[in-house]
Amino acid sequence: MTHVTTAESAPSVNKWAAVAVLLTANFMNLIDITIVNVAMPSMQSELAAPPNLIEWIVAGYTFSFALLLLPAGRMGDLFGRRRLFATGIVVFTLASLVCGLAPGIDVLVAARVVQGIGAAIMTPQTLALVPALFPPEQRGSAFGLFALTAGLASVTGPILGGVLINADIYGLTWRPIFLVNIPVGILAFTGAMTLLPRAGGNRKLGIDYVGIALAALAMLAVLVPLVEAPSIGWQPWMWPMVIAAVPLGWLFLRWQLRQEERGAPQLLPMRLARSGPFLTGSVLNAVLFSAVPSYFFTVALYLQAGYGLSPLQSGLTTTPFPLGVLAASAVTGWFGARWIRWRVLGGGVLLAAGYLGQAWAVTGMGDQISWMRMAPWFFFGGFGLGNTVSPLFQVALSAADKNDSGSASGAVQAIRQIGIAFGVAIMGGIFFAILGGAQAGDQAAYRSAILGSITYASLVAAVVIATPLLVPMRLARES
């Protein structure tokens, strides 16, 4: 049975202008995750914030964002994706204003939690709206642009953060990193109300309150240890939480099966959970992203603490990566929905080449960073990522019909967030374990640490290469 939807938008809708609106909001969210890290020292100094609260500027956003992705995706199915998308933009933009004007750390942390809620409301709708705008053969181009957005955000966040903080606009120090979201949010909201299709939701789907609670508890049990471990180390209380996630996840699936048997509302429709394309695409996407953000986190430490580069210089060094993703977006548009399996395989090979090339570049690095030595490998890695992400999105979301695309999008991105959290914990753990007590400027120690990170990233690339060779990988309509 086919689950692939056809484009539902009215002929008068400018599809690519609508995608530009979705990408703008998506970029605003993604860059907000990376830009904050650059500003943390300034925030701690100005707000006199204790360490246990300053880390919640990131953790509070991460938790609210990850926990609400799945239910927010389902709410889009229920109440209409344009409505939820616009609502999320409003919440995110207003919370950004409060962040920028926050008088103290408590207000800032609370506003960051609300910001994460707004991001969670709007983010699942971005991918879910693609099938409503494009027929299947054109979706590869759109999904390729989402990969480009992710790549750009991962490396431009530190650059933009460094520029805004160094500029010290009107003496506001770190506050412009949040206030810059205000005009962007207004632009995105205006575009959403004028350019996105107005297709309503299906209220008959209902709300699965028990499923929402069980999913939230299971994700909390996984995320709390993984998000906290990099800053406070692995504590004894973390193991019971991780172990508890297994029975909680089992209870969630059992409840969804019970709801299906009763014909009652489901948070995650079990036809998606049983779908090979959905599981393959979403899980491999999570594995892939367990390496990318965490890799650039450790690269920034290597460049800044190891070699003394500024955040701006560090960001410019990695610029070839998003350029590679940009080049890949043109290729994925040409492929459309063809040769999915081989594109994932080829993307994995290019990723592996990028990571292994960086290992070669780092091993032979002298007393100063050689941009020319690293640039080609960043480009290969970005080109590989861009060619991999688009087909994985296509595979996963091809399993959803028009009533479930929001739920599917929310689930794919929630699973990806768990993968990112695992990656930060694992790669960060490897990096700092190898680094030991080395001081900033100890190039040999930082070189060894980044090589440890590259080893994990290369193993992830190997999994990406092996999966299409071992597992059927095709769109649901081809199953």
Side-chain angles (χ1 to χ4, degrees):
M1 175 182 176
T2 180
H3 295 295
V4 180
T5 61
T6 57
E8 300 166 357
S9 56
S12 60
V13 172
N14 186 323
K15 294 182 290 188
W16 292 109
V19 166
V21 173
L22 300 177
L23 293 173
T24 298
N26 200 45
F27 184 77
M28 181 173 65
N29 164 45
L30 291 172
I31 202 170
D32 210 71
I33 297 172
T34 57
I35 199 173
V36 169
N37 292 327
V38 178
M40 295 284 272
S42 299
M43 293 177 186
Q44 185 168 16
S45 174
E46 181 178 323
L47 300 175
N52 65 318
L53 277 181
I54 199 72
E55 70 180 53
W56 275 93
I57 296 174
V58 173
Y61 183 98
T62 300
F63 287 137
S64 60
F65 178 59
L67 291 178
L68 290 176
L69 277 170
L70 186 53
R74 198 55 170 169
M75 292 302 109
D77 295 332
L78 279 162
F79 300 111
R81 296 178 192 102
R82 188 183 79 155
R83 178 180 299 174
L84 266 290
F85 180 73
T87 301
I89 292 173
V90 171
V91 174
F92 185 92
T93 304
L94 291 176
S96 297
L97 177 62
V98 176
C99 286
L101 301 178
I105 186 64
D106 294 336
V107 174
L108 180 56
V109 169
R112 283 285 287 170
V113 172
V114 177
Q115 219 184 11
I117 293 172
I121 294 171
M122 70 179 175
T123 299
Q125 321 312 327
T126 58
L127 290 180
L129 279 162
V130 170
L133 291 165
F134 296 93
E137 64 272 12
Q138 294 182 357
R139 291 174 194 165
S141 299
F143 288 134
L145 291 173
F146 280 97
L148 171 62
T149 303
L152 284 172
S154 66
V155 296
T156 56
I159 297 175
L160 181 59
V163 169
L164 290 174
I165 293 170
N166 290 337
D168 194 18
I169 302 169
Y170 297 116
L172 293 173
T173 60
W174 53 268
R175 297 178 186 273
I177 71 169
F178 296 114
L179 297 176
V180 73
N181 291 332
I182 309 305
V184 178
I186 293 172
L187 180 65
F189 178 81
T190 304
M193 300 308 294
T194 56
L195 294 171
L196 296 184
R198 299 185 179 185
N202 183 358
R203 304 289 180 92
K204 295 180 181 178
L205 294 173
I207 301 175
D208 179 10
Y209 294 104
V210 175
I212 291 173
L214 288 173
L217 288 172
M219 290 194 68
L220 267 178
V222 172
L223 288 173
V224 169
L226 292 178
V227 171
E228 291 290 295
S231 57
I232 65 174
W234 196 266
Q235 303 297 317
W237 57 266
M238 294 178 176
W239 283 114
M241 292 195 72
V242 173
I243 294 170
V246 177
L248 284 169
W250 179 83
L251 284 173
F252 171 73
L253 291 175
R254 290 298 305 170
W255 176 259
Q256 297 305 290
L257 285 169
R258 180 176 181 271
Q259 293 293 90
E260 181 185 49
E261 292 168 358
R262 296 169 56 202
Q266 301 168 66
L267 179 60
L268 177 64
M270 291 310 295
R271 60 179 170 271
L272 288 178
R274 295 190 190 97
S275 167
F278 174 78
L279 292 175
T280 301
S282 57
V283 172
L284 191 56
N285 185 52
V287 172
L288 174 64
F289 274 89
S290 75
V292 179
S294 48
Y295 176 62
F296 280 100
F297 167 68
T298 57
V299 166
L301 292 173
Y302 166 72
L303 294 174
Q304 295 177 39
Y307 278 82
L309 270 63
S310 69
L312 178 58
Q313 292 171 324
S314 172
L316 291 173
T317 302
T318 57
T319 298
F321 187 88
L323 293 178
V325 181
L326 175 61
S329 66
V331 175
T332 56
W334 181 82
F335 279 121
R338 296 173 294 173
W339 304 330
I340 293 288
R341 179 185 183 189
W342 301 111
R343 288 159 59 194
V344 173
L345 176 62
V349 170
L350 288 168
L351 270 172
Y355 290 136
L356 294 176
Q358 287 297 342
W360 169 83
V362 166
T363 301
M365 196 71 68
D367 294 334
Q368 293 184 336
I369 290 294
S370 170
W371 184 86
M372 289 299 296
R373 191 177 179 88
M374 302 182 78
W377 309 112
F378 279 127
F379 183 86
F380 279 135
F383 195 74
L385 178 70
N387 276 291
T388 306
V389 172
S390 176
L392 289 180
F393 280 153
Q394 287 176 272
V395 168
L397 297 182
S398 71
D401 62 24
K402 66 179 182 179
N403 287 324
D404 297 330
S405 60
S407 184
S409 173
V412 167
Q413 294 179 85
I415 294 170
R416 183 176 69 179
Q417 283 300 120
I418 293 175
I420 290 172
F422 267 104
V424 170
I426 294 170
M427 194 177 287
I430 293 171
F431 185 89
F432 288 112
I434 296 174
L435 189 63
Q439 299 297 311
D442 187 339
Q443 295 176 357
Y446 277 90
R447 184 180 301 117
S448 297
I450 194 64
L451 288 173
S453 297
I454 292 173
T455 300
Y456 173 78
S458 299
L459 290 173
V460 166
V463 172
V464 174
I465 294 169
T467 301
L469 295 176
L470 301 174
V471 179
M473 185 167 289
R474 57 180 66 92
L475 302 184
R477 70 174 185 274
E478 300 171 352
S479 302

